[in-house]
Amino acid sequence: MSENDIKSLIDSFRPRPAVFMELSVDVIEGDPNQPRKAFGLGVGGDYNRLMKSISHYGIEDPIKVSEIEKGRFLIMDGHRRFACAKELELKTVPCRVYPKMSDGEFEARRFEMQNNRRSWKPMEKANAIHKIKTEYKDATKKEIADLLGISQVHLFHFTELRDMRMEYLELMSEYNMKEYQRIAFMQMLPKLRKIKQHEIDNIVKILFKKISDNVMYRASDFKDLAKIFSNATLHEEEILFFLTEPLLTVTELCERSQLSGFSSQIKILIKELGTKKNLNVQLTEKENGLLGDLNKLLQAFT
């Protein structure tokens, strides 16, 4: 390839000027060859939030389109925004219009548009929400949540995230915790208790390591662990084993805790019966019946 050929090829990829226009939705069409298919159109929290945002503010980020023929335009980026606009029965939408281009240039430009996005980090989102709450200090939590297109539960959790100890926040980043895991962790944190020699801070670090190793990753894992810690006195030995065994899952801990709970109930029953006997307290007819059933069951196991 000659030097002129290389220069010509490079020139073909130079950014082509675009203009901002308000276009009728009737002259815009979606691209059936769009490589990204997971738009979640019509359902889901993300789509609903986008719909609410466009209904309230309009389309803030112009839809990127390329002219395919005079008066007809193909979407390069912004299929969800366009779907929301149609559902809201908007007549026109703001667009960044690129001139007609070759298929190769079209795909290359679209790739750059969609590949260079970076999603919010949880702490960035928490700080932004805090600033909005500060500016709307007289608004209720529901009004703030509606304004942002999120639930009041998520609003609370982002507030909690911002107020969380820096050490925990650094660990969350270090172990690349997903947003749903951070929220589940914050819900679980108040339930944690000291177990033997393990202080809460040490327990948190052990849990983060399990999360990092994918031993503990589901939202239900955090909920189940919170329930077990709520009865930490009853399940102390099982929790201690969970903390000292890196590969033991929350599911396995739950199974062990159920067994220990059954043992504890038997111990409590024996203690109560012993106390009544020492005090010469007569058992009721119902208690005698249950005791007889228990005795038959024990004989079946011997």
Side-chain angles (χ1 to χ4, degrees):
M1 184 178 287
S2 68
E3 186 176 335
N4 287 336
D5 289 336
I6 294 174
K7 184 176 183 302
S8 177
L9 180 62
I10 293 174
D11 286 341
S12 71
F13 281 98
R14 291 189 187 283
R16 306 187 66 187
V19 295
F20 290 93
M21 298 175 62
E22 192 82 17
L23 294 178
S24 166
V25 295
D26 295 331
V27 301
I28 301 171
E29 56 189 76
D31 182 8
N33 298 316
Q34 160 66 247
R36 297 182 69 188
K37 304 300 182 185
F39 290 118
L41 298 180
V43 294
D46 288 343
Y47 184 80
N48 293 337
R49 283 193 290 274
L50 180 60
M51 179 75 75
K52 187 177 291 186
S53 173
I54 291 175
S55 176
H56 189 78
Y57 297 109
I59 296 178
E60 303 247 78
D61 183 17
I63 296 170
K64 282 85 170 175
V65 300
S66 174
E67 189 173 29
I68 49 177
E69 60 183 53
K70 190 167 181 61
R72 299 297 302 173
F73 303 88
L74 185 66
I75 297 175
M76 302 176 72
D77 181 63
H79 284 80
R80 290 198 315 145
R81 278 165 279 161
F82 184 65
C84 288
K86 291 181 71 175
E87 194 166 334
L88 291 168
E89 298 184 347
L90 301 183
K91 301 301 181 185
T92 62
V93 291
C95 295
R96 187 175 184 179
V97 182
Y98 294 84
K100 188 174 182 179
M101 58 186 77
S102 68
D103 290 345
E105 183 181 1
F106 183 94
E107 294 298 338
R109 293 298 297 271
R110 174 161 62 190
F111 180 84
E112 282 302 305
M113 291 174 188
Q114 298 182 351
N115 191 51
N116 288 326
R117 294 177 181 151
R118 183 181 68 85
S119 59
W120 287 81
K121 291 182 179 179
M123 198 59 193
E124 292 173 337
K125 191 180 288 187
N127 285 332
I129 289 174
H130 173 74
K131 290 179 182 178
I132 293 168
K133 288 176 64 180
T134 301
E135 291 299 321
Y136 292 94
K137 56 186 176 183
D138 294 328
T140 65
K141 293 178 181 178
K142 184 179 186 307
E143 288 170 340
I144 295 292
D146 288 344
L147 176 67
L148 299 176
I150 62 177
S151 68
Q152 292 185 64
V153 173
H154 275 80
L155 179 66
F156 170 78
H157 289 317
F158 279 116
T159 302
E160 290 284 295
L161 177 62
R162 190 177 183 277
D163 295 337
M164 186 169 286
R165 285 173 45 183
M166 184 56 66
E167 181 185 1
Y168 290 170
L169 295 175
E170 289 173 352
L171 284 171
M172 286 179 173
S173 295
E174 180 183 341
Y175 288 107
N176 296 316
M177 282 178 64
K178 296 178 175 62
E179 185 172 308
Y180 80 88
Q181 291 174 329
R182 297 179 187 228
I183 292 174
F185 169 78
M186 286 185 289
Q187 291 175 314
M188 177 195 66
L189 185 59
K191 302 292 186 181
L192 297 184
R193 299 287 182 271
K194 179 182 176 182
I195 302 294
K196 300 287 186 178
Q197 74 274 20
H198 293 285
E199 300 289 346
I200 291 178
D201 283 352
N202 181 237
I203 292 173
V204 167
K205 291 176 182 177
I206 292 172
L207 296 181
F208 280 157
K209 183 65 170 63
K210 284 180 178 282
I211 294 166
S212 176
D213 293 338
N214 285 323
V215 175
M216 177 178 173
Y217 58 91
R218 299 170 301 186
S220 59
D221 288 339
F222 295 86
K223 293 178 182 177
D224 290 341
L225 192 58
K227 291 178 183 177
I228 293 172
F229 265 95
S230 296
N231 293 299
T233 304
L234 189 63
H235 305 303
E236 191 172 49
E237 293 299 327
E238 285 67 36
I239 296 174
L240 181 62
F241 186 70
F242 172 75
L243 296 174
T244 53
E245 289 293 326
L247 298 181
L248 191 72
T249 66
V250 175
T251 300
E252 291 169 325
L253 171 62
C254 289
E255 292 171 354
R256 295 175 64 91
S257 298
Q258 288 173 357
L259 292 173
S260 70
F262 177 68
S263 300
S264 298
Q265 289 174 3
I266 293 177
K267 287 181 181 179
I268 292 171
L269 177 60
I270 292 172
K271 184 178 179 181
E272 289 181 351
L273 288 173
T275 301
K276 287 194 173 186
K277 182 178 180 181
N278 291 334
L279 296 175
N280 292 319
V281 176
Q282 295 295 319
L283 297 180
T284 65
E285 183 178 346
K286 185 176 181 179
E287 287 173 334
N288 273 314
L290 291 173
L291 191 57
D293 291 339
L294 179 59
N295 186 47
K296 290 177 184 177
L297 186 61
L298 289 173
Q299 288 178 355
F301 279 98
T302 57

